[in-house]
Amino acid sequence: MTTDVLLAMHANRYGRAFPAARHRHVHVSKRPFVVVGYHLPGDPSAPIGVMFGDNPDRPGFTYAVEPTRWRNKIDSMEGFARSLNRYIAGAIQGNNGAPQLLLANQAAVEWLCGDIGRYWRGLDADGQWGAGPSIPIAGAHLSYFAGANRIPGSSAVLPLADVLTLHWATGRLATLDRRLGVALAWIQRPDDIAAAEAELSDGPVPDATWEQQEYLVSLRAYERHKGPDRQLAMKIIDGAVRSALEPTWCHAWQAHELLYGMSEAETVGERWERDLARFRLHAERLRAGQARFRSILPLLDAYNHIDRVERMTAELHHAMAFDDDIIMAAHVARGAALSGIVTARNGRTLAIRPDLPFERAAGTRLWWRTRATIKNRERHVFVELRVRAGLTNDLVELDVVRGAATSATRNRLPAVGTHIVCPPFGGPKFIRRSMPDELPWTHLPAGVTP
């Protein structure tokens, strides 16, 4: 039985979430920009309303009274675009690091950063159909966040429900875990799980019942009152949309407080530095008028992108396991990683008494991570080991292959009595980028046979 199944069974039995990680594996800024919103079902370019800002007590709020009309849906989002641009400009000018967006779930990220960003960045600022100066710039920023969201390990934009279920196991199906309020109830308020499940959708698509019974009713009331009393008509729509978005807004800041209070995993800072470098590059391109985005990659670029994402995903999972003993325990439980006590050390050979049966064949490669000072800088080093002869008198013997094979580096090896964990993977590897001699069949143009 794998550890994730075991944790889910315990959560279901006891009616509360169990930690699936000891540390936080994403960066959480002290001052993020939170966005929650709805769009018309079937029309992602038509926002119903958006609540936004970097202050939980003073949210910005905007809504479209006629979201199907182009001018109204663009003008209604002008305040949101200006607020987002101002927040990002503050990050650039203040040199306080990269900006960070928090949204309720992955669907909201794909809608706001993907659909809205792609739509807005292509609009003209001036002319009869001009959207104004703020909308295209905000679209470029949102497209940057959409690209960052596709990079494994990036924390530029966080889908909060997904982040919570990465760190806690609940007893529900993964589709139900995508509800932010429900995930928070499993973690913090087990007695309120039923009430959380009855709440409205986190978005971006509203509940059909709310749309029919409240939103459409408010639109009809607007049509009746917009002539004689426009302000009353606006208040009706304002109240319906605001009351629907406020619970998710509160949940988002509760999730932020919960995650911010966790200890950060050791390698998160390195990944956030890469986020910062990517954001600086985006800001320079935007300043120079060269912030261009590709919707469809050329075939060779697509091949290299997929290959790079696969490697980065594997490296992220490996780093999380080395940083977190709960995540590493899953590899030990599957029999892939060796966990045990060092009972003897003879030159380049270690004898390990395993905690669990370890039945890997002789020649299996394992790695152990430790810290060493190299060129006056302390950093992680990985010692590569090889299973020597499997189990011998309940011991596993390992030969050092590299990382501590010389007399100068032998002190990196663990002392007798040390408890170590050695998974079948090491640190990130540098792989020189190269083009294939020919494209794989999966990337050939239509009609071309391999």
Side-chain angles (χ1 to χ4, degrees), residues 190-370:
D191 294 338
D192 296 337
I193 292 175
E197 291 175 344
E199 291 179 352
L200 294 177
S201 165
D202 296 328
V205 179
D207 287 334
T209 302
W210 174 85
E211 183 188 6
Q212 293 176 1
Q213 297 181 358
E214 295 191 42
Y215 183 60
L216 292 181
V217 170
S218 68
L219 289 182
R220 295 189 191 102
Y222 170 78
E223 290 296 328
R224 291 195 305 268
H225 292 90
K226 68 177 183 180
D229 193 346
R230 180 177 175 82
Q231 292 301 319
L232 175 61
M234 298 281 283
K235 277 186 177 181
I236 295 172
I237 299 179
D238 181 299
V241 178
R242 186 187 295 269
S243 62
L245 296 180
E246 278 180 340
T248 306
W249 170 263
C250 295
H251 292 331
W253 284 104
Q254 290 167 13
H256 171 263
E257 183 179 3
L258 175 64
L259 291 166
Y260 190 76
M262 294 179 66
S263 60
E264 190 173 84
E266 198 167 356
T267 57
V268 169
E270 299 173 9
R271 295 193 289 272
W272 182 246
E273 286 296 324
R274 293 194 285 271
D275 275 326
L276 179 57
R278 284 189 288 264
F279 170 70
R280 286 172 176 164
L281 181 60
H282 162 72
E284 290 172 4
R285 287 175 173 172
L286 192 65
R287 193 180 299 112
Q290 298 177 346
R292 301 182 179 91
F293 304 90
R294 284 178 173 174
S295 297
I296 301 177
L297 293 174
L299 294 177
L300 277 174
D301 288 352
Y303 169 82
N304 279 296
H305 174 72
I306 292 172
D307 179 66
R308 177 170 170 263
V309 168
E310 288 177 345
R311 287 189 285 106
M312 292 179 69
T313 301
E315 290 173 358
L316 172 63
H317 292 162
H318 298 167
M320 289 170 60
F322 277 116
D323 287 348
D324 201 305
D325 57 350
I326 295 180
I327 296 176
M328 183 65 82
H331 298 277
V332 177
R334 287 198 304 268
L338 171 63
S339 170
I341 301 291
V342 179
T343 60
R345 193 177 100 176
N346 184 15
R348 294 170 55 178
T349 302
L350 298 175
I352 312 295
R353 187 178 303 281
D355 298 325
L356 297 174
F358 186 76
E359 300 176 351
R360 296 285 169 162
T364 298
R365 294 193 304 170
L366 303 172
W367 278 262
W368 181 61
R369 189 178 79 170
T370 185

Side-chain angles (χ1 to χ4, degrees), residues 103-220:
L103 290 96
N105 49 48
Q106 183 61 30
V109 174
E110 293 172 1
W111 164 60
L112 182 70
C113 302
D115 297 335
I116 294 295
R118 186 164 49 249
Y119 176 43
W120 283 5
R121 76 181 187 231
L123 296 176
D124 293 327
D126 305 313
Q128 180 182 0
W129 296 100
S134 300
I135 293 286
I137 294 175
H141 288 320
L142 291 173
S143 294
Y144 155 75
F145 285 111
N149 182 244
R150 293 189 288 268
I151 299 175
S154 172
S155 297
V157 53
L158 296 181
L160 290 169
D162 301 72
V163 174
L164 290 179
T165 52
L166 172 68
H167 294 83
W168 280 272
T170 72
R172 305 307 298 269
L173 296 173
T175 52
L176 296 176
D177 279 341
R178 297 192 184 105
R179 295 282 302 275
L180 179 56
V182 175
L184 280 169
W186 274 86
I187 296 167
Q188 295 183 315
R189 305 180 302 275
D191 294 338
D192 296 337
I193 292 175
E197 291 175 344
E199 291 179 352
L200 294 177
S201 165
D202 296 328
V205 179
D207 287 334
T209 302
W210 174 85
E211 183 188 6
Q212 293 176 1
Q213 297 181 358
E214 295 191 42
Y215 183 60
L216 292 181
V217 170
S218 68
L219 289 182
R220 295 189 191 102

Side-chain angles (χ1 to χ4, degrees), residues 383-397:
V383 178
E384 183 179 348
L385 306 162
R386 182 181 292 123
V387 177
R388 186 175 188 182
L391 282 170
T392 303
N393 297 326
D394 295 330
L395 297 178
V396 177
E397 294 184 342

